[in-house]
Amino acid sequence: MTRIIKVAVPGPFRTPLDYLPPQAEPSADVPVEPGSRVSVPLGRRRLVGVVVGAEDHSSLDAHRLRRVQKVLDSAPILDTDILELAHWASEYYHHPLGEVLARCLPPRHRRPDAGTPRTPRVWQLTAAGLSTDLATLARTPAQARAVETLRAATAPQRDEDLRAVGIRSEIIRKLEQAGLIVAMDAMVASALEPPVSDDRPRLNVHQAAAADAIVAAMDSFVVSLLDGITGSGKTEVYLHAMTSAMAAGRQVLLLVPEIGLTPQAEQRLHHRFGSAVATLHSGMSDLLRLRAWERARRGGARILIGTRSAIFTPLPDLGLIVVDEEHDESFKQQDGLRYSARDLALVRARNRGIPVVLGSATPSLETLHNAGAGRYRHLLLPERAGGASRPTMGLVDLRRHPAPEGFAAPLQTAMNEALTAGNQVLVFLNRRGFAPVLRCSDCGWMADCHRCDARMTVHSRPAGLRCHHCGARRSLPPECPQCGAPEPMPIGQGTQRSEHVLGRHFPGTPVIRIDRDSTASQPALQAALDRIGRGDPCILVGTQMLAKGHHFPAVTLVAVLDADSGLFSADFRSSERLAQQILQVAGRAGRAERPGRVLIQTHEPNHPLWETLLRQDYAAFAAAALDERRQTGLPPFSHLALLRAEAPDRATVWAFLERTAACLDGEQPQVAVLGPVAALRERLAGRYRAQLLLQSPTRPPLHALLRNRLAEVEALPESRRVRWSLDVDPIDLY
Ligand code: ADP
Ligand code: ZN
Ligand code: ZN
């Protein structure tokens, strides 16, 4: 009897592939369980796949089957929790299972040559070893010296490290017997550090009510929306719930939207929980990611903080998931497997029967809709914690107060006042570079990208033109290429220009710019945040990187330079996005004792959106926005999938999408197949883009359609001439 091993291999395969057991293990009972990695041949390549099952027979001819080359894990490395989540994601996002499972592994575990890393044994102090009085070891000086050595070491020590400083194996054994040290696997060991302190603030009544509600439902799938204004102390509520989960022997997963926010969260949790905390995000080296992943998988890490991909980490004792800033769009992956980590968190929690907390000051409309329908519990934190008051908000009418250099007179006055009083000012402008347009004032020529339907952005230091869509770079033309007039003019404001202008207006005040150009690296960002944290008067200029989650106690004035572009955008989510952005950035003002103020420059002071936003009444805004979505039948009142395609020439794209539309149309009468239509920016990086939108009042027919017809679309000859992708629950439609 030949056993067939079903392996999910990365690649465009809708089903797992069949392999014979490896040669080296001829016994019929090959211990290859679902969740173990194997290396398998595929064409002329060798790949890492994940075993998903075994069968007695294959539908393929036995002589065509190839053998598993090597079993990489003696026991499953992905547990049933993760396998179940991966299956779900593969079906829901209509994405190959092998590709989904590859995402569940840290990069090092995806390499066929890497094998299981060698892990020497290391020694570390136990809690008793940490606290024991060295005087009690006075009669055994060698043991005392060994304990001292381990206390002074920054990391656990290998046998040979200890022998090198004259500590013999016999001493090590005695200490182990005495329970002062413990042997650990080097891969997952980290110095045992107790919490720094226990100085938790007393929860206020709202926090206590929210925390009690979460803790009371610790053993079942309950979704809580923690809807608390910025600075209301949501993090304290998470910490309280985490403490309770950990006391019950559970692990906790905390998802945060941005890499930039992980050090901050890590610091706060490390302070409270010691070295039981591990961090996982794509900015870490492959080795560090592997270590954190293994610590989490083996239960060494009790709390895992991570960005969206951390949702796929095995956590054997997982008992609570917290999604901080749940509205944030970075939880949605925008290429490959286009998943929402927030939505997967709910699925994982439902599978396991554990609670989830979704926290935000500006919850997404989907989440509010679910809370309103009674599917989530709605916990409110209506006041700022610790005595800070809400900022006041106002508009600066740019029609009455022109701002040729980006800063209207009333704003400049307010900035002056804040700085003179010894405070910090935050200037928000969601456009990096020097200026968005380069224009000839004689003939009106503008610098366009040759490969995209887009203007080139002017950059200073290094000077040049850059396309923010495809990355193309050109030098600044000394004269207009069309009419020859000298020096085309940069028009409009970017963060670099604001930095420059502010340097002139406020000489002697440091200007710190935070955007992807100035602080691309984590250390650069951290250095900037540290400088701000010192609290000396300064001006921060930045993009949305500044708006998210950061705690800047010395900022009292927040200026929003240009919000108007969000008022009239074509995308149905633009007003939601604008409201969230404004209230989040406003939330950076006055978070400590000093009261805050927010000024928004606009040409459209009468736009109805301002009225609700100035009252900081996100709930009223959301209710109106949801009403509009209901009337227009947009999510959450319908469900969408977007099929995007691109190719170097337009006709190929349209031919594919027209065939696809014909193939999809009519199969499910409830699903509207809309398009093809050109993408908002039709040409990008030299390729033409168009799309089909599938819209359905409920989810099942939409998924049935995709399940039934996607294979046909894949088989279309036209599909091989385009790049195409499917986005289920897209967050933008262009
Ligand atoms: P959020 O995450 O809701 O924006 P944070 O949890 O960061 O708010 O809290 C904002 C500030 O208030 C922090 O400095 C925090 O230490 C402080 N804080 C939170 N809860 C309390 C409390 N109960 N008493 C005093 N200070 C608190
Ligand atoms: Zn010209
Ligand atoms: Zn371009």
Side-chain angles (χ1 to χ4, degrees), residues 440-445 480-485:
C440 168
S441 27
D442 280 19
C443 74
W445 168 88
C480 171
Q482 192 163 278
C483 75

Side-chain angles (χ1 to χ4, degrees), residues 46 148 212 233 362 454 459 475 656 695 714:
R46 202 152 62 94
E148 264 188 298
D212 287 349
T362 52
H459 277 249
S475 55
F656 165 70
Q695 186 173 27
E714 274 166 357

Side-chain angles (χ1 to χ4, degrees), residues 449 451-452 467 469-472 685:
C449 177
R451 308 170 66 222
C452 304
C467 174
H469 302 279
C470 71

Side-chain angles (χ1 to χ4, degrees), residues 443-526:
C443 74
W445 168 88
M446 289 186 241
D448 287 327
C449 177
H450 299 324
R451 308 170 66 222
C452 304
D453 293 332
R455 308 248 182 265
M456 301 282 279
T457 301
V458 184
H459 277 249
S460 63
R461 287 173 296 134
L465 292 170
R466 284 196 222 166
C467 174
H468 285 185
H469 302 279
C470 71
R473 289 174 185 231
R474 294 208 311 262
S475 55
L476 284 167
E479 57 195 38
C480 171
Q482 192 163 278
C483 75
E487 292 196 13
M489 292 278 289
I491 309 287
Q493 302 288 325
T495 48
Q496 285 181 335
R497 188 176 221 169
S498 299
E499 179 187 20
H500 179 77
V501 169
L502 289 167
R504 261 194 296 113
H505 281 311
F506 301 96
T509 302
V511 179
I512 303 172
R513 177 163 60 91
I514 296 194
D515 58 31
R516 260 201 289 147
D517 301 313
S518 69
T519 44
S521 75
Q522 191 63 51
L525 175 61
Q526 199 51 51

Side-chain angles (χ1 to χ4, degrees), residues 41-286:
L42 185 74
R44 291 153 79 187
R45 289 180 304 155
R46 202 152 62 94
L47 295 172
V48 171
V50 175
V51 176
V52 291
E55 271 172 19
D56 293 339
H57 303 287
S58 171
S59 52
L60 296 173
D61 290 344
H63 68 270
R64 286 186 51 203
L65 289 177
R66 302 175 74 179
R67 283 192 183 282
V68 165
Q69 258 163 349
K70 201 168 166 208
V71 178
L72 299 174
D73 305 306
S74 50
I77 191 169
L78 298 178
D79 57 17
T80 49
D81 185 23
I82 295 298
L83 292 175
E84 216 178 320
L85 185 69
H87 272 107
W88 190 93
S90 166
E91 279 181 19
Y92 186 82
Y93 295 110
H94 302 272
H95 200 75
L97 180 61
E99 291 283 326
V100 179
L101 284 167
R103 291 227 137 254
C104 298
L105 297 168
R108 279 260 180 142
H109 276 338
R110 292 177 213 159
R111 301 209 313 238
D113 51 340
T116 316
R118 220 171 47 87
T119 58
R121 179 177 71 166
V122 291
W123 294 101
Q124 75 175 37
L125 293 164
T126 59
L130 270 173
S131 58
T132 205
D133 183 356
L134 283 180
T136 62
L137 294 171
R139 287 194 301 137
T140 51
Q143 288 186 28
R145 203 159 55 76
V147 171
E148 264 188 298
T149 306
L150 282 168
R151 278 191 194 168
T154 49
Q157 300 285 296
R158 293 174 303 172
D159 287 287
E160 50 265 48
D161 299 332
L162 294 173
R163 275 201 302 277
V165 294
I167 298 167
R168 285 172 295 125
S169 322
E170 187 191 318
I171 306 293
I172 298 176
R173 208 173 47 247
K174 288 213 175 107
L175 287 172
E176 189 185 13
Q177 280 161 5
L180 296 180
I181 65 173
V182 62
M184 297 277 290
D185 185 330
M187 162 95 95
V188 299
S190 62
L192 183 69
E193 289 168 40
V196 175
S197 77
D198 211 24
D199 58 347
R200 54 196 67 181
R202 265 179 68 96
L203 300 183
N204 63 36
V205 292
H206 302 293
Q207 288 174 309
D212 287 349
I214 296 166
V215 168
M218 231 4 148
D219 286 308
S220 47
F221 172 58
V222 173
V223 184
S224 303
L225 165 59
L226 185 59
D227 181 353
I229 62 167
T230 52
S232 59
K234 292 183 288 295
T235 312
E236 260 339 297
V237 176
Y238 305 152
L239 291 175
H240 192 91
M242 287 175 180
T243 307
S244 157
M246 285 173 49
R250 302 296 171 76
Q251 284 172 296
V252 176
L253 174 61
L254 169 63
L255 294 178
V256 296
E258 290 276 315
I259 293 176
L261 293 174
T262 52
Q264 194 186 324
E266 189 180 11
Q267 211 178 6
R268 214 157 150 185
L269 292 185
H270 198 273
H271 194 83
R272 190 70 62 88
F273 299 112
S275 55
V277 181
T279 309
L280 207 50
H281 60 73
S282 58
M284 292 160 61
S285 74
D286 285 357

